[in-house]
Amino acid sequence: MARKRIREEEEASIDITPMMDVVFIMLIFFIVTTSFVKEAGIDVNKPDSAQATKKPSATIFIAIRPNGEIWMDKRSVDVERVSANIERLRAESPTDTIIIQADKEAKHGLVMEVMDQIKAADDSLIISIAGETK
């Protein structure tokens, strides 16, 4: 007796597993390399400057209002808490440049206190003060 071999017909299919692996690796790469900008959260009337130059991009912005309010990461902070907030924001998004957006009516002494707090957080940080160019 001869045995009849029954061959099951293989269904044609495409294995997409390697493609999905590549897509997930690319997704992880883009999530890890994305930098997020921490804006101050308010608009500031900056003074005009004829000598202003473009500075390197930063991810941390500090805004100072004429009434003495200091804004970081879309919330108001005390001048004593600026250093702690910078350390927290730098842990989330490492940067070496911080931009201060001081209103032209803001008190000079408060701007200097904020700069001192930034230097207390890390002496190697670069501080830029934003001004409007003409």
Side-chain angles (χ1 to χ4, degrees):
M1 281 196 162
R3 291 189 181 179
K4 290 187 178 179
R5 291 188 182 177
I6 301 175
R7 292 186 184 174
E8 295 181 20
E9 292 185 23
E10 294 183 17
E11 293 184 24
S13 65
I14 298 174
D15 186 17
I16 63 168
T17 305
M19 183 182 70
M20 293 302 293
D21 289 343
V22 171
V23 169
F24 284 128
I25 290 172
M26 288 175 51
L27 179 65
I28 291 169
F29 172 78
F30 288 123
I31 289 172
V32 170
T33 59
T34 302
S35 64
F36 298 98
V37 176
K38 302 290 183 182
E39 293 192 19
I42 60 170
D43 289 329
V44 176
N45 186 14
K46 295 179 280 219
D48 293 334
S49 173
Q51 302 296 322
T53 59
K54 282 282 193 187
K55 296 290 181 187
S57 62
T59 58
I60 300 174
F61 290 87
I62 301 172
I64 303 173
R65 292 186 125 176
N67 63 358
E69 288 181 347
I70 301 168
W71 285 76
M72 294 177 66
D73 197 22
K74 298 182 182 175
R75 59 189 176 91
S76 179
V77 296
D78 293 330
V79 70
E80 296 85 17
R81 301 294 302 155
V82 169
S83 179
N85 280 294
I86 287 174
E87 290 174 359
R88 178 182 56 84
L89 292 173
R90 286 191 69 213
E92 294 173 7
S93 176
T95 185
D96 59 351
T97 305
I98 295 177
I99 295 182
I100 299 174
Q101 299 170 318
D103 193 278
K104 64 183 176 183
E105 302 296 324
K107 297 196 180 340
H108 179 72
L110 182 60
V111 175
M112 293 304 296
E113 286 182 51
V114 169
M115 291 174 74
D116 288 342
Q117 287 290 319
I118 294 169
K119 286 297 183 182
D122 187 348
D123 198 32
S124 66
L125 289 171
I126 300 168
I127 303 171
S128 296
I129 299 179
E132 293 292 324
T133 56
K134 289 185 177 183

